Structures are given as C-alpha cells and as structure tokens.
Amino acid sequence: MADTECRNQTAITEFILLGFGKLPDLQILLFLVFLVIYFGTVAANTLIVVLVVTDWHLHTPMYFLLGNLSCLETCYTSTILPRMLASLLTGDKAISVSGCFTQFFFSAFLAATECYLLAVMSYDRYLAICKPLHYSTLMNTRFCLQLAAGSWVNGCLAPAILVLFLSQLIFSGPIEIDHFYCDSIPLMELSCSDTHLVILLDFTIACVFTLPPFLLTLTSYACIIATILRIPSASGRERAFSTCSSHLIVVTVFYGTIMIVYLLPKHETLQELNKVFSLCYTVLTPLLNPLIYSLRNREVKAALSKAVRKCGFHKTMQRLRDNNLN
C-alpha cells in the first residue's frame, strides 16, 4: 500500500546538498581553504605520478602501485571537491538526481578501489620483508599489472550493483541531504520506497567486497610486524620498518576515519562531527598521502631532487643568490 502511494506521488528531479550551510559566515573562508586543498592535492599526486613514470629508479612494483594510488586520489578528490567549491561560492546547493547517483558511483568506486590497492600494496610489502629471496619472482611485472587491474575492476563492480538498485527507488520528497556529497545511506533515507532489500544489499556488498581486502591488509601487516620483531639488530629492524612505515600510516588514517564515520551513532547532534570525519578520508587523506610518501621515502625524495635539478631550478636560485650578494 505504501509503495502504491509512493508511485502515485510526483518524482523529484533534484536534491539539495546542505553541506556546511549551518556556517553561513564561513562560506568564503571554507571555499578558500578547500580550493587550496584541492589544488594542493591535484598537484602533489600528479607530481608523484610523473616521478614514477619518468624516473627509472622508481620502475618497481611498489612505486607502480603508488602511482596508481596517486592517480586514484586525484580522481577521488575531483568527484567531490569541485561540486562543493561551486556550492560554497555560488550558494547553489542543488544537484540533479542523476548527478547525485553519478557522484555516488564514482566516489564509491574509487573508495572501494583504494581498499584493494592498499591491500595489494601491503601484500607487496609482505613479500619484500617476509620473503625477500622470492620477491622478484613472486611480484613480477605481469602479476603486479594483474593485481592493479583487478583492484580497479573489483572496485567498480560493487558500486555499479548498488547504484542499479538505488536507481529503482522512488524519491518524492523530502529532498534535503545533510551532507556535502551523495552517499548511499542518506539517499535511502529520503526514498519513500521500501528500502529493506537495498539496505541488506548495501551491507552484503560491503562485507563481500571491502572486508576481504581489509583482512588481507591486517594479515599482511601482522606477518610483517612479526618478521621485523624477529630481526636481531636494531638497525635491521629500523631499516625493515622504514620500507613499510609510510604505507602503514596511510592505511591507518584511511581505515581509521572510515570506521569512525560508519560506526558513529546516527544522531542528529553528531551529524556535524560525522561530516568532519568524512572530510578526513574524502578530502584530507588524498592530500596527505603524497606528502607522507615523499617525506618518509628516500627514493621519492631523491627522484624529486633529481627532477628539480633537471628543471634548472637550483641554477636559477643560485643566480638570484649571487645577484643579492653583488
């Protein structure tokens, strides 16, 4: 009966993403902050991709996967921040229903792919530390390409299935989404259709597609830590840990913030806190990842220094210093 009444109502054509509308006096400041973050994220991740492609010292499985991750982060932040920036600048918070589904698909696709890529990167570190003599044989170029391609394909499947079912729901009002981007749970809450099946599907997909890479990541690092602790010398332990510490920080930040967001009670009073933690893994993590890898990785820093020397920046700076001295 409820579904019949729902179908008889006029379907809506757009949603309203409330975003940070409760802070009207800070809209311009937020716009400037997010604009700097967006350009910084795109520039830093693009730089990592360029370094991995151009420097032959970085033509290894570890850095090939890092290049994939940086490419993903650039795309991920571009699915959310440009729309948010336009809303902050113009005050137009409307997004079409199809646009909302599209944004959800790409954000979910890239988030799921990141789960798989992080798992593959942790497996790569496991082989390098726990099975160093067999590393080059096990993690060969072909296998590395297959793992990266499989991460992108698997990341696409789950959101495609979920969006297919979400598109069958009927939306006739209300139209306000108290978030800064389209997510599955807020969308289902707005539907007047029976959403029990879609909620069950969402939970099943989350378990089937995202739990295995998470468990693989945990298992890989459990083995890595156990192996490092068995190394007798302190310098050996430090050297082994330095090869995976950057990735471990990235994994902790990514999964930690996601768990907080989805395990946080869905009370109205906690909604703003939920947005803050959502910002951490959708906006701040893509910015921090290249900084973490570049600041804590000697090979990346060496490649960056070499690229700067090739561009002649150091000669320009030297001439400027000489001119100042004269």
Side-chain angles (χ1 to χ4, degrees):
M1 185 68 180
D3 278 346
T4 304
E5 292 179 359
C6 184
R7 292 181 185 279
N8 290 334
Q9 298 181 35
T10 303
I12 62 173
T13 59
E14 63 182 22
F15 295 112
I16 303 295
L17 287 172
L18 297 179
F20 299 95
K22 294 181 180 179
L23 304 170
D25 298 332
L26 298 178
Q27 298 297 292
I28 298 300
L29 177 61
L30 289 173
F31 169 79
L32 294 174
V33 169
F34 288 131
L35 184 65
V36 171
I37 289 175
Y38 180 58
F39 281 126
T41 300
V42 173
N45 282 289
T46 302
L47 179 61
I48 293 289
V49 173
V50 171
L51 289 176
V52 170
V53 171
T54 58
D55 194 308
W56 66 270
H57 292 97
L58 302 182
H59 291 177
T60 63
M62 174 182 171
Y63 294 109
F64 171 73
L65 295 171
L66 175 58
N68 272 263
L69 182 64
S70 294
C71 180
L72 180 146
E73 299 290 25
T74 302
C75 297
Y76 191 23
T77 194
S78 296
T79 64
I80 295 172
L81 272 183
R83 176 67 191 77
M84 190 198 305
L85 289 170
S87 176
L88 289 169
L89 185 63
T90 64
D92 181 13
K93 302 180 184 301
I95 182 171
S96 67
V97 172
S98 59
C100 195
F101 284 146
T102 302
Q103 187 189 57
F104 166 68
F105 169 75
F106 281 105
S107 61
F109 158 47
L110 294 167
T113 302
E114 183 162 0
C115 291
Y116 282 99
L117 277 178
L118 291 176
V120 171
M121 292 173 77
S122 66
Y123 180 66
D124 172 74
R125 292 300 83 205
Y126 160 76
L127 292 178
I129 293 174
C130 301
K131 299 182 182 295
L133 298 179
H134 303 286
Y135 176 75
S136 59
T137 303
L138 294 172
M139 188 58 77
N140 55 59
T141 303
R142 182 180 178 183
F143 185 52
C144 186
L145 287 171
Q146 289 173 341
L147 288 175
S151 298
W152 288 93
V153 172
N154 281 328
C156 180
L157 289 176
I161 296 170
L162 189 55
V163 167
L164 181 64
F165 278 81
L166 282 173
S167 63
Q168 306 304 311
L169 298 178
I170 299 172
F171 299 92
S172 58
I175 63 173
E176 292 183 344
I177 300 176
D178 192 9
H179 216 316
F180 57 86
Y181 76 104
C182 295
D183 201 4
S184 59
I185 300 300
L187 278 172
M188 285 186 277
E189 290 174 348
L190 293 182
S191 174
C192 60
S193 304
D194 185 0
T195 58
H196 289 88
L197 179 61
V198 184
I199 291 173
L200 179 61
L201 178 69
D202 189 17
F203 177 77
T204 304
I205 285 176
C207 292
V208 171
F209 283 91
T210 61
L211 194 58
F214 174 65
L215 293 177
L216 176 60
T217 303
L218 281 182
T219 304
S220 297
Y221 272 104
C223 295
I224 288 171
I225 292 171
T227 300
I228 290 176
L229 292 177
R230 287 198 295 269
I231 298 175
S233 65
S235 60
R237 287 194 298 270
E238 183 179 352
R239 190 166 56 252
F241 186 71
S242 67
T243 64
C244 63
S245 59
S246 300
H247 183 252
L248 184 58
I249 294 171
V250 169
V251 168
T252 303
V253 172
F254 178 73
Y255 278 112
T257 51
I258 284 183
M259 286 181 178
I260 291 173
V261 167
Y262 288 99
L263 294 179
L264 201 66
K266 305 301 178 185
H267 295 306
E268 188 175 343
T269 54
L270 297 176
Q271 185 60 34
E272 297 305 313
L273 186 61
N274 186 292
K275 291 180 188 178
V276 171
F277 284 114
S278 295
L279 278 174
C280 289
Y281 75 86
T282 58
V283 176
L284 293 182
T285 301
L287 174 64
L288 292 176
N289 284 356
L291 298 179
I292 292 171
Y293 278 109
S294 61
L295 292 176
R296 297 184 61 86
N297 192 293
R298 276 176 287 186
E299 287 86 356
V300 174
K301 285 192 286 187
L304 182 58
S305 299
K306 188 162 68 173
V308 170
R309 287 196 299 272
K310 281 185 178 180
C311 292
F313 291 152
H314 72 297
K315 294 180 181 178
T316 303
M317 295 302 294
Q318 184 64 45
R319 283 197 295 268
L320 289 173
R321 282 195 294 265
D322 292 341
N323 291 336
N324 289 334
L325 290 174
N326 294 332

